[in-house]
Amino acid sequence: MFHDKKIVAVIPARAGSKGIPNKNIVDVNGNPLIVYTINAALESRYIDRIYVSTDSIEIADVCRAHGVEVERLRPQHLATDEAKTIDVLKYTLHSLQSQNEIYDYVVLLQPTQPLRSCVHIDEAISLIAAHEDASIISVSEVEDHPLFMRKINESGKLESLLQTSSTVRRQDLPIYYKVNGAIYINKVSDIVTQDISLNDNKIPYVMDKKYDLDVDTLADLEKLRWLLK
């Protein structure tokens, strides 16, 4: 609980994964990948309840073995490649409300961002104190500046992404951030009653980019194993 606000963390973990088979429970230095996110949530000072949304009995068993109960499996229509995370959140929160479990805020924690810690989670939650009605999202400074990025138009010519001159000293470049997918915080009432785009949450929680690793490929997985050593 934070400032008398009840907080539920939702960890989405479906079984299907094309790049890395069984990605959410693949072994990473002795632990299933999802366990790094479970441990961060368990160590949070402010999270009142952890809910893992999964369609997999195997994933559910792993979660139970590491201290998080999984009461029911996600329906199959929310476990396809086309299923949206926001719909999973809506379903989960409605299910909790039907059991008379009422929360003020939901924290979405994707298991593919395992370097995010309980400190990051609690620092992000603490932003609620100043932005009670706002939506919060974790971001990291970009590696490659968008001022030097181009797209090829229909005529085969390069076009700048930013409509400004790229003749500028690097030390004078404005800082740009990317959504890193590690932490999303929203009011439960907003999720269940509105059409929300999580990536458009407004209040930034800035994380050092050294903690930004989204495990999507085998190369990402090997990098994670190396970093955790």
Side-chain angles (χ1 to χ4, degrees), residues 4-106:
D4 297 323
K5 304 297 183 183
K6 289 192 69 178
I7 298 173
V8 58
V10 176
I11 303 174
R14 71 184 185 93
S17 176
K18 293 180 179 178
I20 305 172
N22 297 315
K23 177 169 65 175
N24 285 310
I25 53 174
V26 68
D27 181 81
V28 181
N29 296 15
N31 281 313
L33 178 65
I34 194 173
V35 169
Y36 293 92
T37 294
I38 287 174
N39 287 343
L42 286 171
E43 293 166 5
S44 166
R45 293 179 294 164
Y46 303 135
I47 289 174
D48 299 289
R49 167 83 143 87
I50 301 170
Y51 192 104
V52 175
S53 173
T54 183
D55 60 315
S56 165
I57 293 176
E58 189 175 6
I59 292 175
D61 287 342
V62 168
C63 294
R64 294 182 182 114
H66 289 84
V68 175
E69 185 56 46
V70 179
E71 297 172 0
R72 66 183 70 180
L73 296 183
R74 185 195 304 184
Q76 285 303 307
H77 75 276
L78 292 176
T80 66
D81 289 340
E82 293 75 28
K84 297 179 180 178
T85 301
I86 187 64
D87 292 331
V88 172
L89 273 184
K90 285 179 182 288
Y91 172 83
T92 300
L93 294 172
H94 279 302
S95 296
L96 288 171
Q97 288 176 345
S98 71
Q99 301 171 64
N100 203 32
E101 290 195 47
I102 307 302
Y103 298 92
D104 299 289
Y105 287 89
V106 56

Side-chain angles (χ1 to χ4, degrees), residues 176-189:
Y176 281 81
Y177 299 89
K178 69 165 185 172
V179 172
N180 63 24
I183 304 169
Y184 301 83
I185 304 175
N186 292 82
K187 293 185 72 173
V188 168
S189 59

